């Protein structure tokens, strides 16, 4: 069967997305429907490497309704802010991980609405993602969700879980370098690792208990189908080695600053804040991260055009607004002034 399928990814995506479910949810959530009309979602159905828009995949395969109820509220509020139309690229981008960038921006915007006034999206022509008026002073906020290979890894894990009807885990060495293929290489990566599951006999063996190394590179990735006994108790538990959480946080914060310095006109819009979501870099090991690690490992901001660096390691999809801690500030005066954001 696998030999007859040109793209296993396309085959499984088209099989798994329930478009009746998509339509029901679009009817139930008008803000989501406005941001992601069905016609736009359908346009991505034949576009590799995912053969779907990131929102079509979630609307058509996710079972938990609460995720969409929270997103609906966040989008309703976001659409009322000035310059919302400038965020159109986040909505039309098909990349699976873009979903998390969108959610993070919406959560930061919700936080700003709580602590300030006149929250706006980026001005036409570019600039930081958001701005807010605090005590008669306008602050500018740039959002950054560090994803690395998370979007691709998440997609593979969710797809296999649906195919097998079992809770699949894509394991890897936590707090260590991991880089899966990017760009035009993503399609080949997905097809090669989904192809065996086109065979019914292969799927049946995998459903019993199966371990396969699917990516043997930095931070070896494995697909683990969990073993459950007859009473529903979790069986054999496999653990993978881990690197240093502290060093991992330091590396991620440094890369975030390097990625955003001199970008989006930050140096022209002061004072500014870079709000970083660390959760997706290592979601399974996020509980190892502590505020002290963020404070003590944050990079110096001199010469970066960034005034304040804040970070979160606990803001997930069900959280209504961003939870932030201050990582570093350019001056002591700014540290005192930015307490409004992180309370």
């Amino acid at each position: 069967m696998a030999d007859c399928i040109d793209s296993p990814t396309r085959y499984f995506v088209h099989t798994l997305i329930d478009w009746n479910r998509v339509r029901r949810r679009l009817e139930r959530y008008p803000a989501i429907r406005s941001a992601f009309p069905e016609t736009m979602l359908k346009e991505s159905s034949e576009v590799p490497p995912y053969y779907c828009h990131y929102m079509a995949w979630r609307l058509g395969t996710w079972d938990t309704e609460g995720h969409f109820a929270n997103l609906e509220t966040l989008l309703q509020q976001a659409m009322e802010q000035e310059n919302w139309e400038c965020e159109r690229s986040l909505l039309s981008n098909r990349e699976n991980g873009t979903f998390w960038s969108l959610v993070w921006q919406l959560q930061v915007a919700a936080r700003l609405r709580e602590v300030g006034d006149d929250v706006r999206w980026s001005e036409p022509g570019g600039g930081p993602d958001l701005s807010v008026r605090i005590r008669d002073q306008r602050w500018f906020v740039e959002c950054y969700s560090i994803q690395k290979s998370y979007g691709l890894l998440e997609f593979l894990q969710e797809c296999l879980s649906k195919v097998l009807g079992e809770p699949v885990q894509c394991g890897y060495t936590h707090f260590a370098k991991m880089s899966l293929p990017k760009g035009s290489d993503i399609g080949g990566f997905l097809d090669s690792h989904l192809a065996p599951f086109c065979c019914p006999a292969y799927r049946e063996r995998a459903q019993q208990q199966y371990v396969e190394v699917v990516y043997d590179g930095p931070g070896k990735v494995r697909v683990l189908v969990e073993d459950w006994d007859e009473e529903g108790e979790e069986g054999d538990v496999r653990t993978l080695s881990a690197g240093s959480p502290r060093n991992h946080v330091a590396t991620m914060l440094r890369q975030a600053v390097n990625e955003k310095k001199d970008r989006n006109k930050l140096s022209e819009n002061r004072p500014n804040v870079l709000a970083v979501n660390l959760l997706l870099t290592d979601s399974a090991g996020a509980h190892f991260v502590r505020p002290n690690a963020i404070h003590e490992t944050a990079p110096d901001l001199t010469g970066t055009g960034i005034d304040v660096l804040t970070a979160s390691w606990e803001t997930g999809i069900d959280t209504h607004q961003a939870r932030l801690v201050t990582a570093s500030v350019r001056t002591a005066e700014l540290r005192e002034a930015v307490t409004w954001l992180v309370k």
Side-chain angles (χ1 to χ4, degrees):
M1 180 178 177
D3 294 337
C4 302
I5 298 175
D6 292 335
S7 170
T9 307
R10 179 185 181 279
Y11 169 75
F12 281 127
V13 167
H14 285 204
T15 300
L16 294 171
I17 291 180
D18 182 346
W19 280 97
N20 288 326
R21 177 186 273 190
V22 172
R23 294 184 189 100
R24 287 195 301 269
R25 283 174 164 163
L26 290 178
E27 291 176 2
R28 188 177 305 150
Y29 303 112
I32 295 178
R33 182 175 67 247
S34 176
F36 302 98
E38 183 180 347
T39 52
M40 183 180 80
L41 299 182
K42 280 285 192 179
E43 288 172 356
S44 302
S45 296
E46 298 299 332
V47 181
Y50 295 102
Y51 294 96
C52 64
H53 187 283
Y54 68 78
M55 188 55 69
W57 173 257
R58 290 164 171 86
L59 289 170
T61 66
W62 280 12
D63 297 322
T64 305
E65 205 66 31
H67 296 328
F68 302 107
N70 188 47
L71 180 61
E72 174 74 6
T73 300
L74 288 171
L75 279 170
Q76 284 176 339
Q77 296 170 342
M79 290 174 175
E80 296 172 358
Q81 294 172 200
E82 190 172 337
N83 301 325
W84 167 248
E85 66 278 2
C86 295
E87 299 302 300
R88 185 58 54 185
S89 61
L90 268 180
L91 307 179
S92 59
N93 189 315
R94 302 180 180 94
E95 174 62 40
N96 190 56
T98 302
F99 174 78
W100 301 106
S101 295
L102 171 65
V103 172
W104 178 235
Q105 287 199 19
L106 296 176
Q107 290 167 328
V108 173
R111 177 62 181 158
L112 297 181
R113 286 192 297 271
E114 181 176 89
V115 300
D117 302 305
D118 191 22
V119 178
R120 304 177 184 178
W121 294 101
S122 174
E123 297 289 336
D129 295 318
L130 290 153
S131 69
V132 59
R133 187 174 60 222
I134 303 290
R135 305 187 193 97
D136 297 323
Q137 183 178 34
R138 182 155 292 277
W139 285 73
F140 299 88
V141 182
E142 180 73 4
C143 306
Y144 188 43
S145 179
I146 303 179
Q147 297 174 31
K148 297 298 180 181
S149 299
Y150 181 84
L152 176 54
L153 192 65
E154 177 202 42
F155 181 82
L156 178 62
Q157 177 171 290
E158 290 186 0
C159 191
L160 287 175
S161 294
K162 292 294 183 181
V163 169
L164 295 177
E166 300 285 349
V168 173
Q169 293 181 338
C170 285
Y172 59 98
T173 304
H174 296 308
F175 306 116
K177 181 179 179 181
M178 182 191 70
S179 180
L180 299 185
K182 296 178 175 61
S184 59
D185 295 328
I186 291 177
F189 171 83
L190 287 173
D191 282 344
S192 64
H193 295 106
L194 289 172
F197 296 91
C198 294
C199 173
Y202 189 93
R203 289 201 303 273
E204 184 176 351
R205 290 197 304 272
Q207 286 167 338
Q208 301 305 313
Q209 183 180 355
Y210 191 81
V211 180
E212 179 193 12
V213 177
V214 297
Y215 182 68
D216 190 8
K220 182 181 294 184
V221 175
R222 295 174 182 172
V223 171
L224 311 178
V225 180
E226 296 179 0
D227 181 24
W228 299 80
D229 63 23
E230 293 181 357
E231 284 73 37
E233 296 294 330
E234 190 171 6
D236 183 25
V237 178
R238 302 171 180 81
T239 58
L240 299 177
S241 61
S244 164
R246 185 183 181 87
N247 292 342
H248 178 78
V249 170
T251 299
M252 293 300 98
L253 291 177
R254 184 173 62 252
Q255 290 183 355
V257 170
N258 288 338
E259 178 69 23
K260 289 296 183 178
K261 69 178 181 180
D262 303 321
R263 298 284 184 89
N264 283 10
K265 303 180 181 179
L266 277 173
S267 60
E268 302 173 24
N269 294 276
R270 318 294 283 265
N272 62 56
V273 177
L274 175 57
V276 180
N277 191 346
L278 295 168
L279 179 62
L280 297 186
T281 64
D282 201 289
S283 58
H287 58 283
F288 288 112
V289 180
R290 294 292 181 265
N292 285 346
I294 294 176
H295 296 313
E296 296 170 7
T297 63
D300 180 53
L301 299 178
T302 303
T304 64
I306 299 169
D307 294 321
V308 180
L309 173 63
T310 63
S312 174
W313 75 99
E314 58 177 353
T315 302
I317 185 174
D318 288 323
T319 304
H320 182 67
Q321 60 179 249
R323 299 167 179 167
L324 295 161
V325 297
T326 301
S328 61
V329 295
R330 191 170 51 81
T331 67
E333 181 181 8
L334 283 168
R335 179 178 294 278
E336 187 66 27
V338 81
T339 54
W340 54 267
L341 181 61
V342 297
K343 283 183 179 178

